[in-house]
Amino acid sequence: MAQNTKPELVIECLGIVLSFLQLNQVPTLISLLRVNKTFFQLTVPYLYQSPFIIVQNQRAVADREKIDRLVFLLGLFLAELDPKLRAELPPCSDEDEDDEGKENRIIAQGVTSSYAAQIGGYFYYYRKHDHSFLVDYAIPQLFGTLTELENQSIIAQLDSAFLHHCGNRVLSLCLPSTRVQQFRSFIPILERLKRLEIYQIREITESSLEELVEWIKEHDAVHGTLGELQIGGSAESEQEGNNNAVDLIQLPLAFKSLRVLDTRVWRQAWSKIDQLQVESLVRLVMDYGESEPPGEGSDFLLRCQSMEVLDLFIPAPDTFQGLLRLFKARHYPFLLDSQETIPQGVIPSIERLYISGPPQNLRNALEQAPIALCQTLRVLKASSRDRHEEHILEPSLTWGRPLIEIQMPFLQEIQLQGDIGLEFHFGLLRCCPNLTTLKIIVNGMDSCDQPGNPLEEILSLKRLQILQLFGRWYLKPLFLEGIATQLTSLKMLDLARCYGVTLDQVMEAVHSMEFLWRVGWDLEDVPDPEAALAKWTARAPKIRVGLIRWTEFMI
């Protein structure tokens, strides 16, 4: 019996594993490209779903190198493009191109010829189209353009070329408000399009808004696949995109079935949210909150029966009051006053909650929301944008204790960033025994120590894998010993800027932990960093020491 040289089941399983990485861990995916041919073929589709955005979002890469990578990718696409389509574009400029630039173009052509024969090239997988930012630096460098008008003309031609090349495979499209008619002829081939990102928000007029609405309705009539909307492009800032002149509520209302809405740079989103049919929304992002909340307050949350992910800027102190009152009516009716009105609606099954806002509004939301959503919440992240005027001496969050004893069995991650972290009482961790990630990030030079709020409560989290205490937290040697003996599943430990213990004491406590591979510490606080690193390498070679970048937590 011939031996099977293609273990299809194993390859299929590997593909599923890689699908969970996708854009969360780009360095890992890039490393997998080099393993062998099988991993190469499995990894390329994920990296090239949105290659320009991947490069653009690499914060650790210098701007000059980022531009070079974007130019290389654009050259790679042009090398794969049908010659007839390529002939419609201006020629690339050889002027002022250094040896490295010429070498990159030669490499791009060679890479394309070696891979294109297999499946159609790397950009066969370009499914999430967002490349509007190429107009800033990559296009002028590659084509030698000198004016904004020339750049805009070429990006318009590139939009058409991209859609001709892979239009029937596109899942997400970045649509400029100033060139809607150009994209109208492509509606018949955009049969898989699910997500629409509308950019150049500042340039929207009443006539272009009408064109956008007609485009959405026409695509829905032909294919019926659209269900996600982002108002503002990924590279569009709040200052560039804010628009109060036209009624942008018409855009989400144009969708036949809207499941995801990201209002991004739309200032008036909060005041208009009552007009939307939010019952079908699975994800809602309104993280820009300059405008006033709607007249009905935040009662729209009581209609979000399908909501799973909620990302809000908190504009008022009672944002989650309605949900909390409904929760009490169902589970703790004796806590309601006889005068209180019981709201009508549902408590949405929100799994991921991201909130930000002014200190008092955020504090109230962080007190109310976890109680109301305790039965479904898996991820809770809060970020305070402003500093408290006075230092917080004791935490104020109670999560209803002692009158309410909630349990959050599904909660796996808590992240509190800014002064809001000082409002959290570590005793509340006993409500979430299955927590795997805890991040408390407090900036500033003031001590985070609160005598009535001992860190030792963290040691009750037996399943904890990531612990980040970033700030001036006072640590005791006994706490370090507890980490080593009780948090045995820990993989990453970030104690940067903590005080009370030395790096040597940390090493002595955690060096033998089985799964720990990363320790965060500010080496500038160490007298001889090189000697300290050498000692760590000798004592615990599998553990890396130093400041941990935010991207490392995505592993």
Side-chain angles (χ1 to χ4, degrees):
M1 183 174 176
Q3 187 177 5
N4 186 4
T5 58
K6 292 185 177 181
E8 299 293 340
L9 181 59
V10 174
I11 293 176
E12 185 177 344
C13 291
L14 287 173
I16 294 173
V17 171
L18 292 182
S19 70
F20 285 97
L21 290 175
Q22 295 195 24
L23 303 185
N24 288 340
Q25 191 43 246
V26 172
T28 300
L29 287 169
I30 292 175
S31 297
L32 289 174
L33 282 173
R34 304 184 179 96
V35 175
N36 56 33
K37 182 178 179 180
T38 299
F39 271 100
F40 181 88
Q41 293 175 336
L42 287 171
T43 306
V44 162
Y46 296 113
L47 282 173
Y48 280 84
Q49 277 192 17
S50 189
F52 299 112
I53 281 292
I54 288 178
V55 173
Q56 184 72 7
N57 290 343
Q58 293 299 299
R59 298 185 182 182
V61 177
D63 289 342
R64 180 68 259 175
E65 184 179 351
K66 193 179 294 186
I67 294 170
D68 290 340
R69 292 183 184 183
L70 291 173
V71 170
F72 175 81
L73 284 172
L74 190 52
L76 182 63
F77 168 70
L78 295 178
E80 292 181 1
L81 197 58
D82 182 279
K84 294 181 180 179
L85 294 174
R86 178 65 186 89
E88 297 176 3
L89 291 166
C92 294
S93 173
D94 291 330
E95 294 182 11
D96 301 324
E97 185 178 32
D98 55 19
D99 294 337
E100 184 178 355
K102 293 178 181 178
E103 184 179 350
N104 282 341
R105 282 203 294 112
I106 295 172
I107 292 174
Q109 294 170 356
V111 167
T112 300
S113 62
S114 66
Y115 189 66
Q118 301 177 37
I119 195 64
Y122 294 91
F123 280 84
Y124 174 88
Y125 300 104
Y126 189 27
R127 311 290 169 84
K128 300 176 181 178
H129 283 210
D130 190 351
H131 46 260
S132 57
F133 44 85
L134 296 178
V135 76
D136 294 326
Y137 299 105
I139 286 177
Q141 181 167 319
L142 186 62
F143 292 96
T145 52
L146 299 175
T147 66
E148 179 67 18
L149 184 63
E150 290 177 303
N151 295 336
Q152 292 296 338
S153 174
I154 290 178
I155 196 68
Q157 291 176 280
L158 284 172
D159 283 337
S160 296
F162 279 121
L163 289 176
H164 278 300
H165 187 68
C166 48
N168 63 342
R169 299 183 296 276
V170 174
L171 301 177
S172 176
L173 179 65
C174 205
L175 181 64
S177 65
T178 56
R179 294 188 281 112
V180 180
Q181 292 302 323
Q182 176 189 344
F183 289 80
R184 194 156 213 156
S185 61
F186 291 102
I187 288 179
I189 66 172
L190 294 172
E191 56 192 41
R192 300 184 185 180
L193 187 65
K194 296 180 180 179
R195 178 179 176 84
L196 196 62
E197 296 182 14
I198 299 174
Y199 74 103
Q200 293 180 337
I201 300 299
R202 195 170 186 174
E203 281 76 32
I204 290 183
T205 61
E206 290 186 6
S207 59
S208 61
L209 179 62
E210 185 177 342
E211 291 177 352
L212 285 165
V213 169
E214 290 177 359
W215 195 96
I216 293 169
K217 290 182 176 180
E218 184 176 343
H219 188 280
D220 261 340
V222 175
H223 301 297
T225 57
L226 274 178
E228 303 180 20
L229 172 64
Q230 178 176 303
I231 300 177
S234 299
E236 200 162 22
S237 69
E238 294 173 353
Q239 289 74 23
E240 292 172 343
N242 290 330
N243 188 298
N244 296 315
V246 296
D247 198 1
L248 296 181
I249 190 65
Q250 295 181 45
L251 294 174
L253 287 176
F255 280 69
K256 186 185 300 182
S257 177
L258 187 62
R259 300 180 71 249
V260 176
L261 173 61
D262 185 345
T263 63
R264 198 167 177 82
V265 296
W266 176 26
R267 282 185 174 179
Q268 301 302 314
W270 259 108
S271 61
K272 302 287 186 178
I273 191 65
D274 275 344
Q275 300 180 33
L276 287 180
Q277 297 294 321
V278 297
E279 287 80 0
S280 61
L281 285 179
V282 175
R283 178 185 177 97
L284 174 63
V285 180
M286 291 198 301
D287 59 359
Y288 188 73
E290 264 197 8
S291 67
E292 295 294 323
E296 298 297 323
S298 302
D299 286 349
F300 78 93
L301 291 172
L302 296 167
R303 297 188 285 118
C304 297
Q305 57 192 27
S306 303
M307 190 72 68
E308 296 177 3
V309 181
L310 186 60
D311 187 344
L312 291 182
F313 178 93
I314 308 299
D318 60 348
T319 301
F320 288 92
Q321 185 63 49
L323 288 181
L324 178 60
R325 195 176 298 143
L326 183 58
F327 176 85
K328 287 181 178 179
R330 292 182 179 179
H331 302 281
Y332 298 91
F334 58 87
L335 294 178
L336 291 175
D337 296 334
S338 57
Q339 306 282 332
E340 275 190 278
T341 304
I342 300 176
Q344 299 297 314
V346 299
I347 297 177
S349 300
I350 294 174
E351 298 181 3
R352 307 174 73 88
L353 178 64
Y354 311 101
I355 52 178
S356 61
Q360 189 58 44
N361 294 355
L362 185 62
R363 184 262 163 215
N364 287 359
L366 198 56
E367 173 70 15
Q368 298 165 357
I371 301 174
L373 306 175
C374 64
Q375 297 176 343
T376 58
L377 207 57
R378 295 178 181 272
V379 176
L380 174 61
K381 295 185 179 182
S383 176
S384 49
R385 299 188 177 185
D386 301 317
R387 300 297 305 272
H388 280 274
E389 294 181 2
E390 298 181 1
H391 184 66
I392 301 171
L393 299 177
E394 58 181 4
S396 64
L397 295 176
T398 66
W399 286 356
R401 289 183 169 189
L403 297 177
I404 299 177
E405 292 290 339
I406 63 168
Q407 289 294 318
M408 292 188 278
F410 302 111
L411 190 61
Q412 296 178 338
E413 180 175 352
I414 293 177
Q415 176 176 314
L416 306 178
Q417 185 166 357
D419 284 0
I420 193 65
L422 298 175
E423 301 278 11
F424 185 77
H425 196 293
F426 291 104
L428 299 179
L429 294 174
R430 296 187 179 274
C431 301
C432 31
N434 297 317
L435 207 66
T436 60
T437 299
L438 176 63
K439 302 178 185 178
I440 312 290
I441 305 163
V442 181
N443 297 317
M445 298 306 297
D446 293 332
S447 172
C448 301
D449 186 36
Q450 296 171 325
N453 191 19
L455 295 174
E456 281 70 21
E457 294 286 355
I458 296 174
L459 303 179
S460 66
L461 303 172
K462 305 304 180 184
R463 300 189 179 186
L464 200 63
Q465 297 181 20
I466 296 177
L467 173 60
Q468 183 179 28
L469 288 173
F470 187 94
R472 298 293 292 168
W473 300 94
Y474 178 71
L475 305 182
K476 301 176 182 178
L478 283 177
F479 178 69
L480 294 179
E481 293 177 15
I483 289 177
T485 57
Q486 298 184 55
L487 304 183
T488 55
S489 298
L490 208 61
K491 297 179 180 178
M492 300 182 72
L493 174 64
D494 189 4
L495 303 176
R497 299 179 60 193
C498 291
Y499 70 105
V501 296
T502 65
L503 184 57
D504 284 344
Q505 288 175 301
V506 174
M507 178 179 63
E508 198 61 39
V510 306
H511 73 276
S512 61
M513 293 185 72
E514 181 179 0
F515 301 108
L516 187 67
W517 69 275
R518 193 72 168 90
V519 169
W521 193 271
D522 191 349
L523 294 176
E524 291 185 1
D525 296 337
V526 179
D528 190 348
E530 292 185 5
L533 288 176
K535 187 182 294 186
W536 268 92
T537 303
R539 188 74 184 273
K542 67 182 182 67
I543 300 178
R544 289 173 52 204
V545 182
L547 286 176
I548 302 178
R549 294 196 301 266
W550 67 273
T551 51
E552 294 186 60
F553 288 109
M554 293 183 178
I555 295 178

